[in-house]
Amino acid sequence: MSLTQDISGQTALVTGGSSGLGQATALRLAEAGVHVVVLGRSQEGLDDTVAAIAAKGGTAKSIRGDLAERGTLEAAVDQVVADAGHLNVLVNNAAVMYMDQASTAARDRWEQMFQINVFALIEGSQAAIRHMREKDVDGHIVNISSLASRLPGGGLYGATKSAIERYADQLRMELENDKIRITTIVPGGFATNLGRDINEQQQAVFQEKIGAQMEGLVPDAEGRTPLFGIPDDIARAVVFAVAQPIYLNVFEMVVRPSKNIDPAAFME
Ligand SMILES: NC(=O)c1ccc[n+]([C@@H]2O[C@H](COP(=O)([O-])OP(=O)(O)OC[C@H]3O[C@@H](n4cnc5c(N)ncnc54)[C@H](OP(=O)(O)O)[C@@H]3O)[C@@H](O)[C@H]2O)c1
C-alpha cells in the first residue's frame, strides 16, 4: 500500500519557490505530477526552479512578485486559477528573518517582516480558499513556520511564526466542513539562504556558537549534518501532508535534524 495518494494533475502555488525549502518543495511536487507555479522576487532563482522541473519532465511556471506589497499574493492566486483552471495546493513558504532586538527594532523593518511572513500569508490563504470553494476542489494550504515560534531567542521573527501557527489553527476549525485541509510544518535547522538578512555582528555570534556545535560533525553525501538538514527533507514532509486523503488533516509536523541549534546563536 502506498503511504500517499495520487496527486498528479493538481496545481500548486509555492511562495518563495526561487530558493531553499520552497525550491525543493516545488521540485518534489512536480515529481509527483503536480503543475507548479513558483513565486518570488529573484527571476534567476525562479528560472532555475522552472528549468529544473522541466528537465525532469514536469510542468512549471513562475510569477515574479514582491510579498512586501499588499495584493501581490491575491493577484498571483487569481492568475494561477485563470491560467490552470484551479488551485489545489498553496504552500505559504516565503519569509524573511530579521533578528533585530524586539525592544528597539525599527518600525519599517518589523512592519515589512510581518507583511511578508504574516499578512501576505493571510491574504493568499483567503484568496486560495475562495477559489477552492468556487471550483469545489480538494485543497491543501501548507504554512512553513519555524521552531523559532517556540524557542527562546526567536525574536520578532518567532512572533511572526507564532502568528501564522495560531492563524492556521483558526482556519482549520473554520474549514472543518470544507474539502480544505491546513498543515503547519515547523522546521528546525536547514541549510538555505535564510540568514542573508542577519547583520554582521549577529553573523559573528551565530558562526561562533554554531562553529562550536558543528565541531566533529561530518556531512553525508547530500550535505546533511546532525545539525543542519537539506531543503529536500522539508519538501518530502510537505508532499506527504498534501498527498493524504482529504478526510485526514495532518495538523502539524515538526521536522528537524537530530541535534538542535543552540538558541543563543540567534542572540546578539
Ligand atoms: N532554513 C531554515 O533553517 C528554516 C528553519 C525554520 C523555518 N524556515 C522557514 O522556511 C521558509 C523558507 O525559507 P528558506 O530557509 O528556504 O530561506 P530562503 O532560501 O531565504 O528562502 C526564502 C524564500 O522567500 C522568498 N521571499 C522572501 N522575501 C520575499 C518577498 N518580499 N516577496 C516574495 N518572496 C520573498 C525568497 O525569494 P526571493 O529572494 O526570490 O524573493 C526565497 O525564495 C521560510 O518561511 C522560513 O522562515 C527555514
Side-chain angles (χ1 to χ4, degrees), residues 7-14 29-30 32-38 59-61 76-77 79-91 128 132 137-140 242:
I7 53 171
S8 61
Q10 294 199 356
T11 299
L13 172 59
V14 181
L29 285 168
V34 174
H35 170 65
V36 181
V37 182
V38 282
T59 67
K61 283 190 171 171
V77 169
Q79 192 183 323
V80 171
V81 176
D83 290 350
H86 60 277
L87 175 72
N88 304 93
V89 180
L90 172 64
V91 184
M132 287 165 181
V137 295
D138 287 2
H140 276 96
V242 302

Side-chain angles (χ1 to χ4, degrees), residues 16-22 39-42 65-68 93-96 116 144-147 157 161 187-190 192-194 196:
S18 50
S19 68
L21 309 186
L39 179 141
R41 293 163 304 179
S42 148
D66 185 351
L67 297 183
N93 161 80
V96 290
I116 296 166
I144 308 298
S145 184
S146 169
L147 272 178
Y157 168 72
K161 295 301 187 178
F190 291 86
T192 68
N193 293 328
L194 192 64
R196 62 184 147 181

